[in-house]
Amino acid sequence: QLQLVESGGGLVQPGGSLRLSCAAAGFTWNFYHMAWYRQAPGKQRELVARIFNIGMTEYADSVKGRFTISRDNAKSSVYLQMNSLIPGDTAVYFCNARHALFLADEYWGQGTQVTVSS
């Protein structure tokens, strides 16, 4: 059974850091691109960062230079290191897995709340 389980969210002050983790199980990890999306209240879900199965990365302009996505293929896990957090980063963050060839083959985690506030 395919599972994506996120962890690491929480409340942090502006300028602080958080590291999100997503542990995957139940699918052939190396065939999937992994990504983090976020959704703030009243807004559409947006891509934050993606790491392709071959290791290339891409980021939303709003997080470039502050966030880093990485994957550990041995642990079937993907991470999002978030530094210099600002209130605008407040959202529910979702882990996403999408097959490298069959784009309709896509899965989501349950989401983890990140709140940046003083």
Side-chain angles (χ1 to χ4, degrees), residues 38 48-49 57-68 83:
R38 68 187 181 187
V48 176
T57 59
E58 63 179 6
Y59 295 90
D61 287 343
S62 59
V63 306
K64 282 181 181 177
R66 301 188 298 121
F67 290 12
T68 303
N83 298 327

Side-chain angles (χ1 to χ4, degrees), residues 64-82:
K64 282 181 181 177
R66 301 188 298 121
F67 290 12
T68 303
I69 189 170
S70 61
R71 63 192 287 163
D72 185 334
N73 292 333
K75 296 182 179 180
S76 296
S77 294
V78 62
Y79 308 98
L80 186 68
Q81 178 66 44
M82 305 185 293

Side-chain angles (χ1 to χ4, degrees), residues 11-50:
L11 173 63
V12 63
Q13 292 187 340
S17 298
L18 280 176
R19 186 182 190 232
L20 305 183
S21 300
C22 173
F27 61 94
T28 307
W29 171 260
N30 288 340
F31 290 170
Y32 285 78
H33 305 321
M34 301 299 297
W36 288 96
Y37 285 74
R38 68 187 181 187
Q39 188 167 18
K43 294 187 177 181
Q44 289 189 330
R45 191 172 296 188
E46 63 175 0
L47 175 68
V48 176
R50 175 174 286 122

